[in-house]
């Protein structure tokens, strides 16, 4: 199905948000946090006794936004956004983290896409939640292992990203209900 004018505009806005999350997340990892570890990430608390690199918040949001890009603009746009996003993920980060960031981004977003695509016709909220969980686990494991050779922040990474996915749920419910009211179908 070809996107309507409304769907296209919303899709472009979701795409812009998705693209903005990527360099901002990398910038935050190196510059924003309650503690910045020497030769390591800047970390934030994400739960009782849990910390994570600060960029996790925007990575969690990016997973949801990618789903919305696909819902509004279609699979081709979503896949293109992933490829551009992987390139963008090397920006605003230390050269030593660029490969880890790009590899984790590419892998997690493809995992998200592979889960979201078959589920989206069964419901936006379920599909976005399931695909985001798959993506955030892949991203967390790959990034921490490739960047730091350690999974020390794994629980914090997963919780930090999940916080943003959960925070997005009311917006996803609203979009789902509005789409039904307006008769908008996934692209």
């Amino acid at each position: 199905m070809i996107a309507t004018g409304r769907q296209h505009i919303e899709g472009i806005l979701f795409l812009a948000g998705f693209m903005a999350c990527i360099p901002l997340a990398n910038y935050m990892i190196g510059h924003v946090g309650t503690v910045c570890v020497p030769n390591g990430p800047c970390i934030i608390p994400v739960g009782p006794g849990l910390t994570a690199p600060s960029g996790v918040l925007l990575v969690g949001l990016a997973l949801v936004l990618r789903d919305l890009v696909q819902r509004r603009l279609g699979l081709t746009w979503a896949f293109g956004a992933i490829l551009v996003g992987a390139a963008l993920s090397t920006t605003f980060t230390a050269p030593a983290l660029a490969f880890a960031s790009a590899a984790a981004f590419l892998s997690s977003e493809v995992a998200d896409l592979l889960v979201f695509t078959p589920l989206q016709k069964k419901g936006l909220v379920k599909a976005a939640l399931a695909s985001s969980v798959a993506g955030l686990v892949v991203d967390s494991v790959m990034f921490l292992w490739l960047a730091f050779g350690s999974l020390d922040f794994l629980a914090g990474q997963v919780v930090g990203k999940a916080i943003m996915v959960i925070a997005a749920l009311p917006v996803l419910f609203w979009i789902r209900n509005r789409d039904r009211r307006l008769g908008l179908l996934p692209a």
Side-chain angles (χ1 to χ4, degrees):
M1 174 180 175
I2 296 175
T4 66
R6 174 188 296 246
Q7 286 174 294
H8 188 75
I9 291 168
E10 288 179 11
I12 295 300
L13 292 173
F14 293 140
L15 179 62
F18 174 74
M19 293 298 172
C21 283
I22 300 159
L24 288 173
N26 283 345
Y27 176 81
M28 286 178 66
I29 289 170
H31 299 91
V32 178
T34 54
V35 174
C36 290
V37 177
N39 299 318
C42 292
I43 57 174
I44 58 171
V46 293
L50 291 177
T51 59
S54 57
V56 299
L57 300 176
L58 289 173
V59 172
L61 180 59
L63 289 164
V64 174
L65 287 170
R66 199 232 38 94
D67 293 340
L68 293 172
V69 168
Q70 182 174 344
R71 183 162 178 92
R72 288 295 186 247
L73 299 176
L75 187 59
T76 302
W77 277 84
F79 193 71
I82 291 170
L83 294 177
V84 172
L88 276 176
S89 70
T90 64
T91 63
F92 299 103
T93 190
L97 298 180
F99 173 75
S101 182
F105 179 87
L106 185 62
S107 299
S108 65
E109 291 292 342
V110 168
D112 182 295
L113 181 135
L114 291 173
V115 173
F116 183 81
T117 299
L119 292 179
Q120 76 167 325
K121 290 189 182 359
K122 296 181 183 194
L124 170 62
V125 177
K126 290 178 204 169
L129 183 60
S131 65
S132 294
V133 168
L136 70 85
V137 169
V138 170
D139 185 77
S140 298
V141 170
M142 284 197 67
F143 180 75
L144 288 172
W145 187 254
L146 293 173
F148 308 113
S150 165
L151 298 179
D152 289 346
F153 293 113
L154 183 60
Q157 282 253 347
V158 169
V159 168
K161 292 171 191 165
I163 287 169
M164 292 305 288
V165 171
I166 291 166
L169 287 177
V171 174
L172 291 172
F173 279 111
W174 180 81
I175 289 170
R176 179 201 63 192
N177 292 337
R178 188 184 63 136
D179 285 0
R180 285 180 182 165
R181 191 176 68 250
L182 296 174
L184 296 177
L185 299 173

